[in-house]
């Protein structure tokens, strides 16, 4: 028995020759608790974080590491700022690549490194954002896009395992892995159309409502153990 957190991961397992029962138990988040611990809306979050209302805020919440692709995001960012001068990028998190990324960001406008932050701070930045971006090189099924969607935010993410799953519709914009130009274009497209973004945010919130009604992954894992023990 092999447990997979996304359909993409299960397909990849089969492709490399893993046989037997590959059981799908997708990653999820506890939507009710997530929302209860977050600011009530973007305005409140921005007041808390001292972000001006007219800023177009892009947030990346992830460990600063090669896997997470912040170097690709920094390559994309000058084109975003050139098209949207009010755009600001906040990188939430620390990690082994922080020094290298800070060096890469020298001379790049409107980039802020927040460093390691408590979970409630990361959540507040997501609520304050106009876009949450996840430029990873690989994942199983990342939790950040799920959290951001459940908080009613549009996600621009690279096309890694699990990112297309969950039925997020226009609230999930997917670009090729390591394609800085495509990433810049997608971020600009979302920032440049507030009306379409608001519609996508409503879709994201509704998808979060649906997710809240589904069985939790932890419960499904317990059921799987019970099934296996019953077999034994």
């Amino acid at each position: 028995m092999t447990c997979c957190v996304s359909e993409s991961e299960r397909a990849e397992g089969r492709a490399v020759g893993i046989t037997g029962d590959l059981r799908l138990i997708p990653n999820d988040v506890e939507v009710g608790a997530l929302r209860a611990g977050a600011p009530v809306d973007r305005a409140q979050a921005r007041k808390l974080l001292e972000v001006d209302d007219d800023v177009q805020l892009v947030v990346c919440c992830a460990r600063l590491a090669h896997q997470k692709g912040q170097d690709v995001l920094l390559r994309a960012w000058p084109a975003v700022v050139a098209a949207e001068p009010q755009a600001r990028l906040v990188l939430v998190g620390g990690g082994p690549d922080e020094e290298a990324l800070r060096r890469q960001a020298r001379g790049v406008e409107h980039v802020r490194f927040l460093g390691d932050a408590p979970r409630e701070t990361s959540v507040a930045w997501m609520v304050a954002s106009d876009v949450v971006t996840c430029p990873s090189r690989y994942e199983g099924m990342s939790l950040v896009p799920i959290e951001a969607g459940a908080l009613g935010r549009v996600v621009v993410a690279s096309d890694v395992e699990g990112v297309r799953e969950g039925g997020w519709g226009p609230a999930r914009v997917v670009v090729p892995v390591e394609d800085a130009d495509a990433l810049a274009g997608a971020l600009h497209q979302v920032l440049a159309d507030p009306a379409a973004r608001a519609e996508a945010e409503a879709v994201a919130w509704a998808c979060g409502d649906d997710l809240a009604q589904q069985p939790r992954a932890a419960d499904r894992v317990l059921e799987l153990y019970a099934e296996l023990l019953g077999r034994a």
Side-chain angles (χ1 to χ4, degrees), residues 11-61:
E12 185 176 355
R14 288 195 174 121
V16 299
I18 298 176
T19 59
D21 188 353
L22 276 64
R23 192 67 62 88
L24 177 62
I25 301 181
N27 281 342
D28 64 6
V29 299
E30 191 172 351
V31 176
L34 175 68
R35 290 175 173 176
V40 296
D41 57 18
R42 183 178 283 114
Q44 185 188 66
R46 290 192 172 205
K47 183 176 181 180
L48 173 69
L49 299 169
E50 299 181 343
V51 176
D52 292 340
D53 291 340
D54 61 346
V55 163
Q56 294 174 304
L57 184 61
V58 178
V59 171
C60 179
C61 294

Side-chain angles (χ1 to χ4, degrees), residues 7-231:
E7 186 59 60
S8 301
E9 187 177 64
R10 180 160 65 175
E12 185 176 355
R14 288 195 174 121
V16 299
I18 298 176
T19 59
D21 188 353
L22 276 64
R23 192 67 62 88
L24 177 62
I25 301 181
N27 281 342
D28 64 6
V29 299
E30 191 172 351
V31 176
L34 175 68
R35 290 175 173 176
V40 296
D41 57 18
R42 183 178 283 114
Q44 185 188 66
R46 290 192 172 205
K47 183 176 181 180
L48 173 69
L49 299 169
E50 299 181 343
V51 176
D52 292 340
D53 291 340
D54 61 346
V55 163
Q56 294 174 304
L57 184 61
V58 178
V59 171
C60 179
C61 294
R63 183 169 51 92
L64 300 182
H66 181 75
Q67 173 194 351
K68 300 299 183 179
Q70 289 95 346
D71 58 313
V72 182
L73 177 56
L74 289 174
R75 291 202 304 272
W77 189 247
V80 179
V81 174
E84 301 292 338
Q86 289 298 107
R88 303 292 184 270
L89 172 62
V90 175
L91 301 172
V92 184
D97 287 2
E98 182 168 354
E99 288 188 13
L101 291 167
R102 285 182 178 273
R103 287 195 299 270
Q104 182 184 350
R106 288 173 187 166
V108 179
E109 289 187 304
H110 307 319
V111 177
R112 178 181 176 185
F113 287 82
L114 197 66
D116 286 319
R119 175 172 170 75
E120 58 268 23
T121 301
S122 298
V123 169
W125 278 103
M126 284 194 279
V127 175
S129 74
D130 294 292
V131 186
V132 173
T133 186
C134 302
S136 297
R137 288 180 164 89
Y138 60 90
E139 296 284 352
M141 177 179 266
S142 176
L143 293 177
V144 171
I146 303 173
E147 291 176 334
L151 291 168
R153 293 296 169 263
V154 176
V155 174
V156 173
S158 50
D159 195 4
V160 294
E161 295 85 353
V163 75
R164 291 183 179 272
E165 299 174 34
W168 295 95
R172 185 75 54 87
V173 182
V174 180
V175 300
V177 176
E178 295 191 272
D179 190 332
D181 291 339
L183 180 60
L187 290 171
H188 172 226
Q189 180 180 3
V190 176
L191 291 174
D193 193 340
R197 187 171 68 245
E199 292 179 3
E201 288 175 348
V203 172
W205 190 268
C207 288
D209 290 342
D210 291 341
L211 180 61
Q213 305 304 315
Q214 297 175 15
R216 294 299 316 281
D219 294 332
R220 296 177 66 180
V221 170
L222 289 174
E223 291 172 1
L224 177 58
Y225 274 111
E227 178 185 337
L228 294 172
L229 289 170
R231 290 180 183 178

